[in-house]
C-alpha cells in the first residue's frame, strides 16, 4: 500500500453488483484496471456469487464511486480517489508529484480557494537558518523526516467541515530535492498507517521553483522579506550539521 502520487487504480472489478478485491498487480496499473472495467460483465450476464465476496454496503458504495470517477480518463484524482485535485497543476521534474506555480500558492494564501479549503499547510523543508532568513508567511519549518512525522502524523489535521479540504504544499529552496523528497516520504508513511486507499492527507503539492522563485515573484508574502540561500558563506557549519542529520 505504499504507493506515491501515481496512485493506483481501485481493485479490479467483477460484474456488478458484486465488487471483489483485485490482485495486488491491478493496483499498479490504472490503465489495465480501467480496461478490465470496460469489458467485464456484459448486459444481462449474471454474476456467479460465492459466499463471503460481498462487501459491506458503505464500502461497496465507496468503491463504486471511485470506479465511476476513474472511468473518466480526464480525472486527476487525489490520493484516496475521493475527488479531483483542487489546485491547477504545472509540469515538474518528478512526473509522480503534483506541482503548483508560485501564482497558485499566492492565490491560496490570499483566500481565493477558501470556499473549498479549510486549512492549507505550507511545509518549508529548508534548514532553519534558511527559514529564519526569509520564508512564506505562515509556513512551518520541517527540515527533517522526524519533524514531519511528529507535526503531521502524531495528531493528524482533519477538516472540521467534511465538505472542505486540508492541503499540504511542500517546498525547499528550488523544490528539486528536499521538498519533493519530503512530500514522497509523507505519502509513504501516511499509506503505511491507513487502510488502502484511505489517507490522512490525500492532497499534496510541491511548489515549483521553490522559495527562491516564490520570493522573487511575491516578496510581500514572505517574512522577513528576504532570501537566504542554502550555501550562504556565513552558514557553512550549519549546512554541514543539517546535511549530516538528513542522511
Amino acid at each position: 500500500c505504499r504507493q506515491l502520487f501515481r496512485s493506483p487504480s481501485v481493485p479490479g472489478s467483477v460484474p456488478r453488483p458484486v465488487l471483489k478485491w483485485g490482485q495486488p498487480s491491478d493496483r499498479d496499473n490504472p490503465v489495465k484496471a480501467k480496461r478490465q472495467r470496460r469489458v467485464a460483465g456484459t448486459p444481462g450476464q449474471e454474476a456467479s456469487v460465492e459466499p463471503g465476496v460481498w462487501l459491506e454496503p458503505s464500502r461497496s458504495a465507496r468503491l463504486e464511486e471511485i470506479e465511476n470517477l476513474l472511468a473518466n480518463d480526464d480525472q486527476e484524482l487525489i490520493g484516496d480517489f475521493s475527488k479531483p485535485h483542487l489546485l491547477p497543476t504545472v509540469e515538474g521534474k518528478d512526473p509522480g508529484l503534483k506541482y503548483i506555480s508560485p501564482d497558485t500558492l499566492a492565490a491560496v494564501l490570499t483566500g481565493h480557494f477558501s470556499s473549498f479549503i479549510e486549512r492549507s499547510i505550507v511545509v518549508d523543508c529548508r534548514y532553519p537558518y534558511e527559514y529564519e532568513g526569509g520564508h512564506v508567511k505562515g509556513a512551518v519549518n520541517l527540515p527533517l523526516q522526524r519533524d514531519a512525522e511528529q507535526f503531521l502524523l502524531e495528531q493528524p489535521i482533519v477538516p472540521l467541515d467534511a465538505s472542505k479540504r486540508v492541503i499540504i504544499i511542500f517546498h525547499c529552496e528550488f523544490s528539486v530535492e528536499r521538498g519533493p523528497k519530503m512530500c514522497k516520504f509523507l505519502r509513504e508513511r501516511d499509506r503505511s498507517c491507513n487502510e488502502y486507499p484511505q489517507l490522512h492527507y490525500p492532497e499534496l503539492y510541491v511548489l515549483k521553483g521553490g522559495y527562491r522563485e516564490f520570493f522573487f515573484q511575491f516578496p510581500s508574502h514572505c517574512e522577513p522579506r528576504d532570501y537566504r540561500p542554502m550555501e550562504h558563506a556565513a552558514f557553512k557549519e550549519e549546512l554541514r550539521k543539517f546535511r549530516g542529520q538528513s542522511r
Side-chain angles (χ1 to χ4, degrees), residues 14-20 46-55:
V14 296
R16 288 186 177 134
V18 181
L19 292 176
K20 292 184 180 179
E46 294 186 359
S48 176
V49 181
E50 299 177 1
V53 301
W54 287 93
L55 302 175

Side-chain angles (χ1 to χ4, degrees), residues 8-14 16-23 26-27 33-34 37 52-72 77 79-83 191 195-198:
S9 175
V10 293
S13 58
V14 296
R16 288 186 177 134
V18 181
L19 292 176
K20 292 184 180 179
W21 288 107
Q23 297 299 321
D26 292 340
R27 295 182 174 181
K34 290 181 184 179
R37 282 197 297 276
V53 301
W54 287 93
L55 302 175
E56 295 179 4
S58 59
R59 191 160 183 81
S60 294
R62 168 77 171 133
L63 291 176
E64 186 169 357
E65 179 184 359
I66 292 172
E67 282 199 340
N68 291 335
L69 287 169
L70 287 174
N72 184 346
L77 303 183
D80 63 358
F81 310 125
S82 62
K83 56 181 74 71
R191 282 277 186 225
E195 181 181 354
Y196 183 87
Q198 296 174 357

Side-chain angles (χ1 to χ4, degrees), residues 32-51:
K32 178 181 177 183
K34 290 181 184 179
R35 188 180 297 118
Q36 288 174 338
R37 282 197 297 276
R38 294 190 184 107
V39 301
T42 57
Q45 180 181 8
E46 294 186 359
S48 176
V49 181
E50 299 177 1

Side-chain angles (χ1 to χ4, degrees), residues 201-216:
Y201 304 106
E203 194 159 1
L204 308 180
Y205 299 94
V206 175
L207 173 64
K208 186 174 183 179
Y211 179 76
R212 182 182 185 278
E213 186 65 28
F214 185 81
F215 170 74
F216 287 129

